[in-house]
Amino acid sequence: MSENTGDLRVRFRILGSFECWDGSERVRVGGPVHEKVLVTLLLEPQRVLPVFRLVEAVWDENAPATAAHQVRKAVAELRQRIPDGRNLIVTEGPGYRALTTPDQVDLSRFTQGLKQAREATAAGQNALAATALREALELWRGPLLSGSGGSVLAAASAALEERRLTAVEQLFDLRLDSGENGELIGELREFIDAHPLRETLRGQLMLALFRSGRQAEALEEFAKVREFLIDELGIGPGDSLTELHNAILRNSPELAAPPQATVAPFTPEGRPSTLPYDLRDFTGREEEVRELLGFVAEAPGTGPLIIAIDGMGGSGKTSLAVRAAHQLADSYPDAQLHIDLRGFTPSGQPLSAGAAAEALLRALGVPGDRIPDDAEGRIALWRRTMSTHRMILLLDNALDESQVRPLLTSPTETLVLVTSRALLVDLDAAHTVSLGVMPPGDSVALVEGVLGRTRARAEPEAVAQLAELCGHLPLALRIAAARLRKRPRWTVRYLVDRLRDDAHRLAELNSGERSVEVTLRLSYEGLAAETREAFRMLGQHPGTEIDVYAAGALLDKSARDAEGVLEYLLDMHLLQQHETGRYAFHDLVRSFAQNLSRGSARPDAEPGGANAGAGTGDEEAARAVRRLLDFALAATDAACDMLFPGRARINRPEPRSAAELPPLSTPDQARDWLEREQDSLMAAVSLAYRWELDSHVGLLAANVVFPLDLRGRLEEFRELSRTAITAARRLGDPALLRLSLSNLSVACWKLGRFEEGIEVAEEAFELAVGLADRRGEAKDTGVLGLLLSALGRYHEALPRLQQSISIKRELGAERAEAESLTNLSNLYAEWGRFPEAVEAATRAIALSRGIGSVDKEVEGLTELAIAKLGMGEVDVAADLLGRARKLAVDVMSPADMSLLLALSAEAADRIGESRPATEWAESALQLGDLSGAPMREAAVGNIVGRLHTRNGRYSLALDLHQHAHDAASGIGYRVEEAHALAGMAHALEHLGDHGSARVHREAANKAFEAMGIPAARTA
């Protein structure tokens, strides 16, 4: 019943999601109509199904007028897409027939397996019957088409599910008859949880509990099912279950397990040991070794002492188990056995329980003539032998729990160590030790141990980088160090440089029979086909972490279903989790996942783009990337609309994403999501650029710059805008180009790149005029006003800001108008025109409140306070700044918050509140590195410098003004450059350096005069 079908090439899997395979290549048969038609035919192979039956299967009772035509078209396309499809699906009379052999369809093999089991049971060959049932049930992956097939296929699926559950119950009966009891309890509970009304399963659980010496639990199970049936159906348990309950109450001898063929246990001679050698250079893992040895020392009970060690391939599971086994060998004197269960082995099938039992018996020296021929007999002999000896059993490289359970028995004094790449959550009573990567210090020590201390310590920085590039994975570290040891002329730096090429990193980590890529491929190939596809698609995610919503978009699943896939890959150690709900690839696993898709062509680019008309390439990756980017755009739209109410969007089609979005219905949710996903969103822009999805580049970048600005990540703001500009030019979209240029001009203003900003803003403005984009004209002329104002060109800046405000008011763009009014207030205040500054700021505050824009309200309050300080109304200014501080949490960038605190310090100082003034001044200077926001750096330095001058701290004031002058002069920020000169003059005067003070004062006055700033404003 296994998937190995010999030389057959085309195979169909319909028990679950539909799959068609041509050898090792998956065949895409088409859309839902194609799959439903084909599955319906495969449900009844060799039988003619009329077209109307196929129509019913596809559309139920809602068939369109063209349904018959669509079915015939789907059949014609299936014949083209499936190798030898014309001979596979033939036309006969009124319909079609699928000419498949039983080995080609998993359902046919399932049916064949059930038949073999019935025949074997009738012949008294219970072991053969159990094997046939196991293999048949392994083919089952879920309902037809994963339950999405419609009512006709759902009815067929329900009938198949009943056959499956009957087979499950038959297998449990056979296993109970063979002497399994306690081992079945966990499995039975799982099936009962899924199918609580099946009384046969309940009875089997009661019997297994009773035979395991747990009579009270067996009776409790009957009480549970009785209560459940009465609550749900209003009836009690059936006669069979009731009779079983009564027999358990009587402790009836009839319920005892059937007698098994007794095989005397074997007593080995000497102390057989097949443990691998303990590594001389074993490094690290001290905590895990202590945990393992401590558990063994303290564990109570008489059952097998089980320790399950799991971790990704290459994490050192076997080395840890071997080290522990050697250290514990004296406590388990009868034997120390190791067996590779081949769960993840190149070109090999996992070892069956019967084969493993035989190998273990032979390792103990059991003569061949004493080993039973049948698997059940070998397992029984092994269990009896295990139960009478105190030994260590190392079951290495297990596939899953089902491979381990048959080899365990109770009571026994055997210590069982199990290693697996899978988290063995269903191995009852096992103590779990999960291995991650090594700490950096242990990684370096491992390299030193393999390479040699002298050579490694000659290049300590390179060794640390080597460990980082190896992802601190023990296998990768050993391979890298071994390669260096074999090549004495290589420096560590040379290998580090080779490993920096991510596309070839895995190829470099290969030495002899050991290879990181082969190790990872074994884990990958051990996944089901659908999970392998999901793994490849998740590899397209560009960020360091992925949440369930982004995964849902990539996989085209709901967030809950995507979480199930992520959790399974986490259990298989192909993903890591450092925070609940967020998943990450190990660096080398990410390289492997990306290499699986590397070399595929890009998806079709936007119309007119540089890649338009390119080959389809890997459609799977293309669709996944598009879904992810559509999701990112829809989610950032929602988050930015929530956090920045009234913001303008470029005209574009409605969001195309059908993916489930994260909760973004409150400002806190939106802010938290953007904060968590910020790096992933920037990586998504880069991903879109690499795939030449240029519309996504520009639109997504226009959203992502909002949170970047909020967090003061201005250089990234600028670089993202430049990428968007390149994409828009490549796409030939003038509207998107104008938007991207406009964003770049804002970034340039904040970074003090005024001349570059003016050039960019002028190009954006020209595009807006050419496009008759009034909103764009308003934005870009306003940014030009900002940039000219920063250069002290107030007479040129003022009409542009006024024009911008006028257009925005005309368009009803209240958020944008409030922003420009705030900028106008700042210009008036710097110019000494305080009443006009108050008027502009007051209207900005009113507009911001009207639309609920807290960030713009804070900016308006700050500018109004500046104007009031200039007018001498310090108490009013202090009150305004207090209101701004309360609102400013989470809505201001660190640089803007520094300015607010510096102004708060000035106001407090001027009204005689020295303590808060000092605290706010210190906070303003220490809040963050302002070197990335030189305009704010200069302004804050000058404000706090003037505070120190007023309080007689002239040396501190001089230092701050000098620093402010350096920041302002470096970018041409004229007004703060002049204020810095004036501040330096005041400080120097008080310090007694009158000559220097006079020079600075004259330079300041000349600068103020050139800008038209009145003398009274400069005092």
Side-chain angles (χ1 to χ4, degrees):
M1 295 304 104
S2 70
E3 286 297 311
N4 184 3
T5 56
D7 294 328
L8 287 172
R9 290 185 60 78
V10 181
R11 310 186 310 281
F12 301 96
R13 304 178 74 192
I14 65 174
L15 298 176
S17 58
F18 175 80
E19 293 177 7
C20 175
W21 292 87
D22 178 19
S24 61
E25 296 295 323
R26 187 167 178 180
V27 178
R28 304 286 179 180
V29 299
V33 172
H34 300 80
E35 290 188 355
K36 290 177 183 179
V37 167
L38 185 52
V39 167
T40 305
L41 290 169
L42 294 173
L43 281 171
E44 301 183 70
Q46 307 295 334
R47 182 175 176 182
V48 177
L49 297 186
V51 171
F52 76 84
R53 283 276 306 279
L54 299 175
V55 169
E56 288 177 355
V58 176
W59 289 283
D60 295 333
E61 297 178 357
N62 303 311
T66 59
H69 170 72
Q70 290 189 50
V71 165
R72 293 188 179 94
K73 181 182 177 184
V75 170
E77 291 171 347
L78 287 168
R79 286 168 170 167
Q80 291 177 346
R81 293 169 180 168
I82 300 172
D84 199 27
R86 296 191 179 281
N87 294 323
L88 190 86
I89 305 174
V90 298
T91 303
E92 288 194 19
Y96 302 98
R97 179 161 58 158
L99 298 180
T100 56
T101 64
D103 284 339
Q104 284 184 279
V105 185
D106 57 356
L107 174 58
S108 299
R109 298 202 300 280
F110 176 77
T111 302
Q112 198 173 45
L114 300 189
K115 180 182 177 183
Q116 290 174 357
R118 286 195 301 272
E119 293 172 350
T121 301
Q125 299 174 318
N126 287 358
L128 181 59
T131 299
L133 286 171
R134 279 194 183 96
E135 292 181 351
L137 291 168
E138 284 173 359
L139 297 170
W140 192 272
R141 296 174 297 118
L144 299 176
L145 293 178
S146 296
S148 62
S151 62
V152 173
L153 290 177
S157 189
L160 289 172
E161 173 70 357
E162 180 60 34
R163 291 173 62 192
R164 179 181 81 99
L165 289 174
T166 301
V168 167
E169 291 167 349
Q170 291 171 353
L171 180 57
F172 278 129
D173 276 338
L174 291 170
R175 294 174 67 184
L176 284 165
D177 288 344
S178 71
E180 290 188 66
N181 295 303
E183 304 93 322
L184 303 182
I185 292 171
E187 296 178 62
L188 281 163
R189 289 196 192 281
E190 287 182 13
F191 277 101
I192 289 170
D193 287 343
H195 308 281
L197 295 175
R198 299 203 59 106
E199 293 190 36
T200 300
L201 291 172
R202 298 275 193 174
Q204 290 168 332
L205 175 58
M206 290 167 61
L207 188 57
L209 288 166
F210 176 76
R211 289 180 178 174
S212 300
R214 297 157 68 175
Q215 182 181 17
E217 291 180 59
L219 295 171
E220 183 183 3
E221 189 62 33
F222 180 81
K224 287 180 183 176
V225 66
R226 183 176 181 278
E227 181 181 359
F228 180 81
L229 290 172
I230 291 174
D231 289 345
E232 294 292 320
L233 304 176
I235 61 173
D239 292 342
S240 178
L241 203 60
T242 302
E243 290 172 6
L244 175 62
H245 171 250
N246 293 332
I248 292 173
L249 278 172
R250 298 193 308 271
N251 204 7
S252 172
E254 297 175 358
L255 299 182
Q260 306 297 312
T262 57
V263 182
F266 177 79
T267 302
E269 296 181 5
R271 295 180 54 178
S273 178
T274 60
L275 292 176
Y277 67 91
D278 190 14
L279 294 175
R280 179 184 58 82
D281 56 4
F282 183 91
T283 304
R285 303 298 191 197
E286 289 90 352
E287 182 178 345
E288 289 86 352
V289 171
R290 280 196 302 271
E291 177 186 349
L292 194 154
L293 298 179
F295 173 76
V296 172
E298 298 172 7
T302 58
L305 199 57
I306 307 170
I307 298 175
I309 304 171
D310 61 84
M312 69 179 288
S315 59
K317 301 178 294 296
T318 301
S319 298
L320 174 63
V322 168
R323 165 141 293 209
H326 278 286
Q327 292 189 13
L328 292 165
D330 290 343
S331 299
Y332 295 87
D334 293 343
Q336 301 90 41
L337 303 183
H338 168 271
I339 185 170
D340 182 357
L341 296 180
R342 301 208 299 263
F344 301 89
T345 304
S347 305
Q349 293 293 321
L351 208 61
S352 68
E358 179 179 0
L360 290 168
L361 289 167
R362 291 188 182 277
L364 286 173
V366 178
D369 58 2
R370 287 199 57 185
I371 299 176
D373 293 332
D374 63 293
E376 298 295 336
R378 293 195 293 271
I379 293 171
L381 175 58
W382 162 251
R383 285 175 165 179
R384 290 178 63 81
T385 302
M386 179 181 176
S387 68
T388 58
H389 291 84
R390 184 175 177 83
M391 58 184 171
I392 292 175
L393 174 61
L394 173 46
L395 301 176
D396 199 12
N397 195 15
L399 179 65
D400 54 28
E401 298 92 339
S402 65
Q403 197 181 16
V404 174
R405 285 196 198 99
L407 300 174
L408 306 180
T409 191
S410 183
T412 181
E413 293 186 89
T414 294
L415 168 63
V416 181
L417 301 170
V418 186
T419 73
S420 179
R421 298 186 186 193
L423 179 62
L424 303 179
V425 291
D426 292 328
L427 194 57
D428 294 336
H431 177 74
T432 298
V433 177
S434 292
L435 293 188
V437 297
M438 300 183 78
D442 288 349
S443 297
V444 170
L446 177 56
V447 173
E448 288 182 358
V450 178
L451 180 60
R453 182 172 298 181
T454 302
R455 193 171 165 195
R457 292 190 174 181
E459 299 180 79
E461 184 179 342
V463 169
Q465 291 171 353
L466 178 69
E468 186 70 26
L469 288 167
C470 289
H472 303 288
L473 185 69
L475 176 62
L477 291 164
R478 284 188 174 277
I479 291 173
R483 290 195 71 193
L484 287 168
R485 191 176 59 196
K486 291 177 183 177
R487 289 167 172 77
R489 294 186 180 276
W490 281 17
T491 62
V492 180
R493 171 66 57 195
Y494 176 74
L495 181 56
V496 164
D497 291 340
R498 291 173 69 100
L499 289 173
R500 289 193 190 282
D501 182 356
D502 189 61
H504 298 97
R505 185 180 304 170
L506 290 176
E508 293 289 340
L509 294 174
N510 180 26
S511 178
E513 296 182 354
R514 294 190 297 180
S515 165
V516 172
E517 182 168 11
V518 169
T519 298
L520 295 176
R521 187 170 292 279
L522 290 173
S523 295
Y524 168 74
E525 291 179 348
L527 303 173
E530 186 175 1
T531 311
R532 290 200 299 270
E533 182 179 351
F535 177 79
R536 293 193 302 272
M537 287 192 284
L538 290 170
Q540 300 298 326
H541 190 272
T544 56
E545 291 186 324
I546 182 170
D547 71 356
V548 295
Y549 298 98
L554 278 167
L555 303 180
D556 200 17
K557 294 178 180 290
S558 68
R560 180 175 290 275
D561 289 345
E563 184 179 34
V565 175
L566 293 167
E567 285 291 320
Y568 179 74
L569 291 172
L570 181 65
D571 287 346
M572 296 301 296
H573 290 282
L574 287 169
L575 284 178
Q576 300 173 334
Q577 188 172 62
H578 307 299
E579 179 184 344
T580 302
R582 301 184 66 75
Y583 303 82
F585 281 106
H586 182 277
D587 289 346
L588 296 178
V589 178
R590 177 184 297 280
S591 295
F592 174 72
Q594 292 175 345
N595 284 350
L596 290 172
S597 300
R598 205 181 299 277
S600 62
R602 295 180 292 267
D604 294 337
E606 270 81 20
N611 193 40
T616 57
D618 186 347
E619 295 180 4
E620 171 192 283
R623 288 193 297 269
V625 168
R626 280 186 178 276
R627 286 195 300 269
L628 177 66
L629 295 174
D630 286 343
F631 159 78
L633 185 55
T636 52
D637 275 344
C640 289
D641 287 346
M642 176 56 61
L643 284 179
F644 310 104
R647 76 186 186 108
R649 285 198 209 170
I650 188 173
N651 291 329
R652 54 186 167 90
E654 287 301 310
R656 294 161 284 188
S657 177
E660 181 180 350
L661 297 184
L664 298 169
S665 57
T666 68
D668 285 344
Q669 289 176 337
R671 189 178 300 111
D672 290 346
W673 183 80
L674 285 172
E675 184 73 22
R676 286 195 310 271
E677 299 298 326
Q678 196 163 93
D679 291 337
S680 291
L681 290 169
M682 288 192 294
V685 174
S686 299
L687 176 71
Y689 184 80
R690 290 196 303 273
W691 286 73
E692 297 188 14
L693 296 172
D694 292 329
S695 176
H696 287 83
V697 174
L699 295 173
L700 187 54
N703 285 345
V704 177
V705 296
F706 275 88
L708 289 178
D709 184 22
L710 182 63
R711 293 300 172 220
R713 298 171 66 169
L714 300 179
E715 283 294 349
E716 290 161 306
F717 181 173
R718 177 172 176 263
E719 286 306 311
L720 208 62
S721 300
R722 288 165 63 88
T723 299
I725 289 169
T726 304
R729 294 193 197 280
R730 185 167 66 184
L731 182 61
D733 185 335
L736 196 59
L737 177 59
R738 189 217 64 78
L739 174 66
S740 304
L741 286 164
S742 183
N743 284 333
L744 178 58
S745 66
V746 173
C748 288
W749 170 64
K750 289 176 178 286
L751 285 165
R753 296 173 172 269
F754 305 133
E755 297 297 343
E756 178 188 347
I758 289 172
E759 181 181 347
V760 170
E762 286 176 342
E763 183 182 356
F765 180 75
E766 290 173 5
L767 283 168
V769 172
L771 292 165
D773 177 4
R774 295 284 286 163
R775 188 181 291 272
E777 288 182 46
K779 172 70 180 292
D780 299 322
T781 194
V783 176
L784 277 169
L786 273 179
L787 291 159
L788 291 167
S789 178
L791 290 170
R793 294 157 62 179
Y794 297 122
H795 290 285
E796 298 174 70
L798 179 60
R800 285 176 169 81
L801 285 172
Q802 291 171 330
Q803 179 188 2
S804 174
I805 292 167
S806 177
I807 298 173
K808 290 171 180 176
R809 189 169 299 166
E810 173 191 327
L811 295 172
E814 293 176 314
R815 177 185 174 87
E817 183 186 349
E819 185 174 64
S820 288
L821 284 164
T822 299
N823 295 332
L824 179 63
S825 175
N826 180 263
L827 183 151
Y828 279 138
E830 288 184 352
W831 223 348
R833 295 164 61 171
F834 298 116
E836 291 160 292
V838 167
E839 181 182 354
T842 302
R843 175 161 173 76
I845 293 168
L847 286 171
S848 301
R849 285 177 181 165
I851 61 173
S853 179
V854 179
D855 57 327
K856 294 304 168 191
E857 183 180 353
V858 172
E859 291 174 9
L861 288 168
T862 303
E863 291 301 330
L864 182 56
I866 290 173
K868 292 296 185 179
L869 284 170
M871 296 170 71
E873 299 179 21
V874 182
D875 288 324
V876 175
D879 179 63
L880 291 166
L881 291 165
R883 288 156 58 189
R885 287 195 305 275
K886 290 180 181 179
L887 295 173
V889 179
D890 292 327
V891 302
M892 294 191 79
S893 70
D896 289 340
M897 193 68 192
S898 292
L899 177 63
L900 175 57
L901 291 172
L903 290 167
S904 299
E906 178 180 353
D909 182 64
R910 287 171 63 178
I911 60 177
E913 296 180 356
S914 59
R915 184 172 179 178
T918 301
E919 291 175 355
W920 283 328
E922 290 177 355
S923 296
L925 295 173
Q926 297 172 3
L927 186 62
D929 181 10
L930 295 179
S931 60
M935 293 178 68
R936 292 294 184 248
E937 184 180 18
V940 169
N942 281 329
I943 293 169
V944 179
R946 289 192 292 269
L947 183 152
H948 285 316
T949 295
R950 285 194 299 273
N951 289 277
R953 297 185 288 269
Y954 304 117
S955 295
L956 285 175
L958 181 61
D959 287 342
L960 284 168
H961 286 305
Q962 287 174 333
H963 192 75
H965 183 266
D966 291 342
S969 61
I971 60 174
Y973 188 16
R974 297 279 304 283
V975 68
E976 290 300 339
E977 185 179 353
H979 281 305
L981 288 167
M984 291 161 66
H986 284 298
L988 288 166
E989 187 75 40
H990 288 287
L991 290 170
D993 190 347
H994 302 295
S996 297
R998 184 172 57 255
V999 171
H1000 287 314
R1001 186 177 300 108
E1002 289 173 355
N1005 290 337
K1006 184 177 179 181
F1008 284 128
E1009 184 179 354
M1011 289 182 282
I1013 295 177
R1017 172 73 180 95
T1018 68

